Amino acid sequence: MTQQVKDILGHVAQGQTLERDDLIRLLDISEENEYEALFHAAYEVKKKNVGPVVYFRGLIEISNICQKDCLYCGIRKSNPKVPRFRLSIEEIVQAARWAHDNHYGSLVLQGGEIQNDNHSQYITDALNQLHEATNGELGVTLSLGEQSPQVLRQWRQAGAHRYLLRLETSRQDLYRQYHPEDHLWAPRLQCLDDLRNEGYQVGTGVMIGLPDQTNADLADDLLYIKELDVDMIGMGPFIPHGDTPLAHHLDTFNKDAQLQLGLKMLACARLLLPDANMAATTALQALSDTGRELGLQAGANIIMPNVTDPKHRRAYQLYDGKPSLDENSEQSRMGLEKRIAGIGEKIGYGLWGNSPRFKKRAPKA
Ligand code: SAH
């Protein structure tokens, strides 16, 4: 291990904060023993601040209908190959009931971005009915794109508690490169502010390893996320999708390198925001069968097992190689339980698992 990496990790252990150059050096790591030292340091910080406990959030992919056209995304509006679907409220309630019966403390409702009254009302009805069916016991996270403060308030009042909205990248020219002209960065940032004002626990993150993105950009992303002072972090590696304008990147795509970069980012994020909740995302699992467990070992503490009926999963592919397309929720839970026990962690069944970061901010929540 180089003296430099040893010094950086030594400073972290003494409680010093990481500077931009330190982060770049850690993201540049390519030697086996340096990886191990980084993941070990992040795991120690995780144990101390959030414990070796994993919280499950049952993920329901409610709809792939989207009015946005992000160049990287498989369910973008201009992809004609995707059969579009929207779950019925009864299907959402059924998945919520399953999660509740299996002692998952929380749900995530994720879907394409739609801004109209019909959609807002559909989500409101789904929230009301799923809470009624589960005695209001589930924590609910939404991940439904940018919305107006009024709509966010309506959903908050119907029992949504948390919201994930990735800024995707803090480098504005890169944001422009991967989005059509009318998808603007500033309103997305404004929405994060609105979410906080409406009383949500707020999560954000970036895509890791976009073409033309450097490790210095990723270091800036991390520092930006820290400045936003979010409660939750959801970020994962970029994976090309064959039916998008970025399909040509499949030719040169290096799964292993992308996985390692994703894990290094998780570890650095844990070192920077010790008490935030951080997901080991499905995109990690798409790169390796054990991707999510590796994510936990690099500092993540949240997993979002898919509880959507498998018949709809194929139509919700943001990137190629989405895992568990045919596995039902029960099979996926049992497999995960075994592997999590295998790395010596516990599952926080029946608990909401709010981040200590949020609790410190809002002591009454
Ligand atoms: N429509 C909502 C949420 C659904 S998409 C929204 O815009 O917030 C959830 C996340 O998937 C996106 O924020 C993006 O970061 C990620 N994603 C989309 N396409 C991807 C790809 N090809 N590889 C990796 N992640 C991708």
Side-chain angles (χ1 to χ4, degrees):
M1 181 159 36
T2 61
Q3 192 57 40
Q4 206 186 3
V5 169
K6 213 183 236 169
D7 287 347
I8 296 171
L9 295 177
H11 293 155
V12 170
Q14 288 161 11
Q16 287 182 28
T17 24
L18 290 166
E19 304 291 336
R20 184 171 187 267
D21 286 345
D22 301 332
L23 289 167
I24 297 174
R25 180 63 190 89
L26 294 178
L27 293 169
D28 281 342
I29 282 177
S30 63
E31 269 180 43
E32 193 62 36
N33 58 354
E34 292 187 346
Y35 279 125
E36 279 166 22
L38 171 63
F39 298 151
H40 178 76
Y43 199 80
E44 287 302 306
V45 170
K46 163 178 152 174
K47 264 200 311 204
K48 195 165 138 207
N49 290 276
V50 296
V53 182
V54 194
Y55 297 102
F56 283 177
R57 319 286 194 220
L59 173 66
I60 309 179
E61 294 157 345
I62 59 149
S63 171
N64 64 1
I65 304 169
C66 192
Q67 64 188 45
K68 288 281 184 88
D69 223 3
C70 310
L71 269 61
Y72 42 81
C73 185
I75 63 167
R76 64 199 299 268
K77 179 176 70 179
S78 304
N79 181 2
K81 294 196 185 163
V82 193
R84 303 286 165 169
F85 74 93
R86 186 176 95 162
L87 297 189
S88 68
I89 302 238
E90 187 41 45
E91 286 173 310
I92 296 177
V93 170
Q94 214 177 328
R97 239 191 233 119
W98 185 90
H100 185 246
D101 289 347
N102 284 276
H103 311 290
Y104 287 21
S106 302
L107 287 180
V108 179
L109 306 190
Q110 193 188 70
E113 179 174 316
I114 305 172
Q115 295 161 342
N116 65 40
D117 292 348
N118 174 299
H119 182 68
S120 318
Q121 193 57 45
Y122 156 73
I123 298 297
T124 303
D125 292 344
L127 287 166
N128 284 326
Q129 291 189 36
L130 75 85
H131 278 308
E132 200 178 303
T134 57
N135 308 323
E137 286 169 5
L138 290 173
V140 178
T141 308
L142 300 179
S143 171
L144 301 168
E146 293 161 51
Q147 301 290 342
S148 70
Q150 291 73 20
V151 170
L152 296 175
R153 191 169 314 146
Q154 185 182 330
W155 292 346
R156 180 77 189 85
Q157 283 164 358
H161 312 101
R162 315 178 175 121
Y163 207 104
L164 290 171
L165 185 73
R166 292 186 182 176
L167 60 106
E168 311 298 0
T169 169
S170 63
R171 213 182 102 187
Q172 296 196 44
D173 65 319
L174 208 59
Y175 191 89
R176 223 170 299 134
Q177 184 175 336
Y178 293 118
H179 296 91
E181 265 182 11
D182 61 347
H183 295 24
L184 300 176
W185 186 82
R188 201 162 174 90
L189 261 286
Q190 178 59 46
C191 190
L192 285 174
D193 233 27
D194 297 340
L195 284 162
R196 173 70 41 78
N197 293 335
E198 297 302 331
Y200 284 88
Q201 298 176 45
V202 180
T204 196
V206 294
M207 251 183 304
I208 304 164
L210 283 165
D212 296 332
Q213 186 186 45
T214 65
N215 285 351
D217 297 334
L218 291 170
D220 288 334
D221 286 343
L222 289 170
L223 292 168
Y224 200 89
I225 292 171
K226 185 177 179 197
E227 206 176 288
L228 286 173
D229 192 18
V230 287
D231 310 298
M232 315 179 291
I233 301 173
M235 58 183 180
F238 160 70
I239 304 171
H241 185 293
D243 299 322
T244 65
L246 303 186
H248 58 285
H249 291 291
L250 278 167
D251 300 341
T252 49
F253 188 67
N254 180 338
K255 260 186 164 186
D256 293 340
Q258 199 73 343
L259 176 67
Q260 288 302 342
L261 185 60
L263 295 172
K264 286 187 282 184
M265 274 291 277
L266 291 182
C268 289
R270 174 58 68 200
L271 296 177
L272 267 188
L273 289 93
D275 53 0
N277 272 347
M278 181 164 68
T281 54
T282 316
L284 287 176
Q285 193 194 358
L287 296 177
S288 153
D289 286 345
T290 56
R292 287 184 301 186
E293 292 84 297
L294 293 171
L296 295 176
Q297 290 171 306
N301 67 327
I302 304 283
I303 289 190
M304 309 196 310
N306 201 327
V307 298
T308 317
D309 187 326
K311 80 174 179 230
H312 291 297
R313 287 190 205 173
R314 208 165 290 279
Y316 196 90
Q317 291 199 63
L318 309 178
Y319 41 79
D320 277 1
K322 178 182 179 180
S324 311
L325 284 176
D326 299 312
E327 199 180 52
N328 69 31
S329 306
E330 183 62 24
Q331 289 162 335
S332 120
R333 182 178 65 89
M334 289 184 336
L336 257 178
E337 260 186 10
K338 214 184 264 167
R339 296 199 305 266
I340 287 170
I343 61 169
E345 297 215 339
K346 287 203 179 70
I347 300 167
Y349 277 127
L351 299 169
W352 276 28
N354 287 338
S355 71
R357 197 172 188 85
F358 176 73
K359 286 185 204 150
K360 279 176 210 158
R361 191 197 314 284
K364 277 179 255 135

